[in-house]
Amino acid sequence: MSSSNDDNKYNGDWLLQKAFVGPELTEFPLPTAKKYILKISTTEEGSYNLLIKVGNTIRTSMKVLGKDDDNLFDKIQVKPPMSSRMMPPPELFELESYLTTSLPTFFKMIVSDDGNLIMTGETSELICNRC
């Protein structure tokens, strides 16, 4: 049985540090114009809302389904995101497209021993530091 501290380990603000894309997970260049904060909040046990502001605000929800086979990562299901529909500046357009495409493909996540939030899919990964 998990403790409430364990249930809330994902809550809070996470600074997007790195993003990876493709089958070999090559680094996706993040625009340096601003900081990108992923905000995660619990809605009910094992369910979360996610929000990130790039040019537009991108929102989605996520559910923790249990542990993976190695009992390291949490298995997750992320719903397709919604976003405001204004055209972002060109330097932010690719990051927004990456996030709206990648978020629903993530199937596992963990807060690593060094405190990083890692969200992973088949061809994408995000690494964030707690703010």
Side-chain angles (χ1 to χ4, degrees):
M1 183 173 222
S2 64
S3 69
S4 71
N5 185 37
D6 190 50
D7 292 340
N8 295 319
K9 65 185 168 191
Y10 299 117
N11 277 343
D13 293 350
W14 298 89
L15 176 63
L16 180 58
Q17 292 290 320
K18 291 184 178 184
F20 299 89
V21 67
E24 296 181 17
L25 293 177
T26 57
E27 192 162 354
F28 180 91
L30 298 175
T32 57
K34 58 186 247 178
K35 294 181 179 181
Y36 309 100
I37 308 294
L38 177 66
K39 296 177 179 285
I40 300 178
S41 58
T42 303
T43 58
E44 57 188 59
E45 186 176 336
S47 295
Y48 300 88
N49 283 331
L50 285 76
L51 178 144
I52 188 166
K53 171 91 168 122
V54 179
N56 290 289
T57 300
I58 300 167
R59 290 180 171 86
T60 190
S61 61
M62 167 184 71
K63 185 163 185 68
V64 175
L65 305 173
K67 290 289 188 183
D68 68 354
D69 293 339
D70 296 325
N71 204 32
L72 296 174
F73 285 80
D74 283 325
K75 294 189 295 187
I76 59 172
Q77 179 179 38
V78 182
K79 291 190 175 180
M82 297 177 291
S83 164
S84 48
R85 304 297 250 164
M86 298 184 336
M87 182 59 122
E91 65 274 12
L92 301 180
F93 181 78
E94 284 188 36
L95 177 57
E96 275 195 17
S97 295
Y98 167 82
L99 289 169
T100 56
T101 302
S102 297
L103 282 168
T105 71
F106 292 142
F107 60 85
K108 66 181 182 177
M109 75 178 182
I110 190 171
V111 175
S112 65
D113 290 341
D114 58 1
N116 290 331
L117 172 70
I118 303 170
M119 300 179 76
T120 304
E122 288 293 331
T123 60
S124 55
E125 184 171 276
L126 297 179
I127 299 176
C128 304
N129 294 343
R130 193 175 288 280
C131 293

